Amino acid sequence: MGRLARSAVVPLAVGALLVTPVASAQERTAAPTTGFEQTDGSRWTTPEEETEFLQAVDEASQQVSVEQIGKTKQDRPLRLVRVGARGARTAVLFTCSQHGDEPSGREACLSTIRDLGLSEDPEVRKFLSTTSVLFVPNANPDGNVANTRGNADGVDINRDHIALNTPEAQAVAEVIRDERPDVVHDLHEYGAKPPYYVKDLLALWPRNLNAAEGVHDESERLSEEYVRPAVEDTGFSTGIYGIWTDPETGEPVKQVAGDGQERILRNTIGVKNALGLLVETRVDPLTDEEKADPAVNNRRRVDSHRTGVAATLRMMSERRAEIATATATARQAGLLGQGPIYFDGADNEAPSQVDENPPCAYGLTADQFGAVRDKLDLHGVRSTPGPDGGRVVPMRQEARSLVALLLDSRAQFHIAEGRPLSC
């Protein structure tokens, strides 16, 4: 099947239904469009156009609400867009373009917000009545304007989901804490390495070993049984992120990325007991058509992301009960204090540091607690009063392994060296 000609005609599938996007010239005059769509992919939507677009969609749809959840160092707004029910029993979060020089995810999220929010299909409306579909449509506004990977301070936001030093990562953490999404789908782009690393779209689940078995398995299912097959069905090629493959046999050659670092969002969310998925489209033009016309390459990048987003929504529709069971079981295990803590390793790499009998809690001095109090709060980690004005952080809480990764000196990215306490 050939590649679709323009992002405006890529349908969004939710279960057995289609969310029909803006397609004809008449429809384009009746519904808000992005700068990307108005130019047929020849340039990216500007910040001003993004603001106007989201405001127009918000005003046009009772299904859509837009709120500011923070601001960047350069005073640009960080927004959360909700499509569907507030406080629904199921929630999915799409984080879009954490890296400012990876714009296609942002474009896919913007057009998806409109197509879901303005849909009059009864099945779409039914889906939205029981689901909060959340978007951080521009997760790095300063980087987007500067066309840089990092934020205004040059920090890679996707390496900050444990330390929470950036306003961008703090905003995402607050959304995860308050909205408790069952799934977080993170949209990125990558650079090709011909002939081994050239797929149109790559995906990867949480590899961190502290992700509960059910959460890990459902996340892998999301990648391997939903997102990648759906993308391939629309004519795009797919692979596993971080794995070079032999161009003739398709067999793995080596792993170049995609480890189990807990500070990366797809891993952080697994540690926080929800499904996670990293999705990356290829930046580089490889076909003669893409090389001759950058807009063709841009549309391919956005189209493949839109298809991946639709596949995640379809899994949310079809496996709602199974996803809820996986996340609830993981949270209950944390409350019961069950299982070892892994300080390294991944689902494809044996750990070297495992604590089979973790501490009952971690003690923090008053000064230590004062330095990390806000971060613990953003992570949703609770504590109780301790001696001499300090605090005790119990391990028996939903995100149990997160406590150790934040406060144990053995954890690579810990934010404080808590004192291990026995029961």
Side-chain angles (χ1 to χ4, degrees), residues 323-355:
I323 292 170
T325 296
T327 57
T329 300
R331 290 164 179 158
Q332 183 66 18
L335 292 171
L336 295 174
Q338 296 175 343
I341 300 297
Y342 300 92
F343 293 104
D344 58 10
D347 67 357
N348 61 350
E349 178 187 1
S352 62
Q353 295 191 80
V354 184
D355 193 339

Side-chain angles (χ1 to χ4, degrees), residues 109-189:
C109 288
L110 290 173
S111 57
T112 300
I113 289 167
R114 177 202 58 222
D115 296 342
L116 282 174
L118 298 184
S119 175
E120 297 183 358
D121 187 299
E123 291 300 318
V124 175
R125 293 296 184 94
K126 180 180 178 181
F127 175 78
L128 293 176
S129 71
T130 58
T131 311
S132 290
V133 185
L134 308 169
F135 298 83
V136 178
N138 189 352
N140 185 2
D142 293 348
N144 173 254
V145 171
N147 193 34
T148 57
R149 178 180 178 87
N151 66 1
D153 289 321
V155 177
D156 186 335
I157 296 166
N158 202 30
R159 301 297 184 275
D160 189 40
H161 293 289
I162 287 292
L164 299 183
N165 291 321
T166 64
E168 295 88 354
Q170 291 167 9
V172 171
E174 186 173 1
V175 171
I176 292 169
R177 181 197 65 191
D178 295 347
E179 301 292 341
R180 295 168 63 87
D182 302 273
V183 179
V184 176
H185 177 134
D186 190 24
L187 288 75
H188 287 260
E189 299 194 74

Side-chain angles (χ1 to χ4, degrees), residues 235-296:
F236 301 108
S237 60
T238 74
I240 295 175
Y241 176 72
I243 305 296
W244 284 17
T245 56
D246 186 287
E248 299 296 329
T249 66
E251 292 298 312
V253 173
K254 66 177 179 178
Q255 182 170 335
V256 298
D259 57 26
Q261 288 184 44
E262 60 267 24
R263 63 179 181 169
I264 297 170
L265 184 58
R266 66 174 166 83
N267 286 317
T268 306
I269 196 62
V271 172
K272 290 184 175 182
N273 303 319
L275 279 63
L277 189 67
L278 170 76
V279 181
E280 306 240 2
T281 57
R282 190 190 71 245
V283 172
D284 310 78
L286 294 183
T287 68
D288 290 340
E289 186 181 14
E290 290 174 353
K291 292 176 182 178
D293 184 356
V296 174

Side-chain angles (χ1 to χ4, degrees), residues 38 68 348:
Q38 292 164 15
Q68 184 169 327
N348 61 350

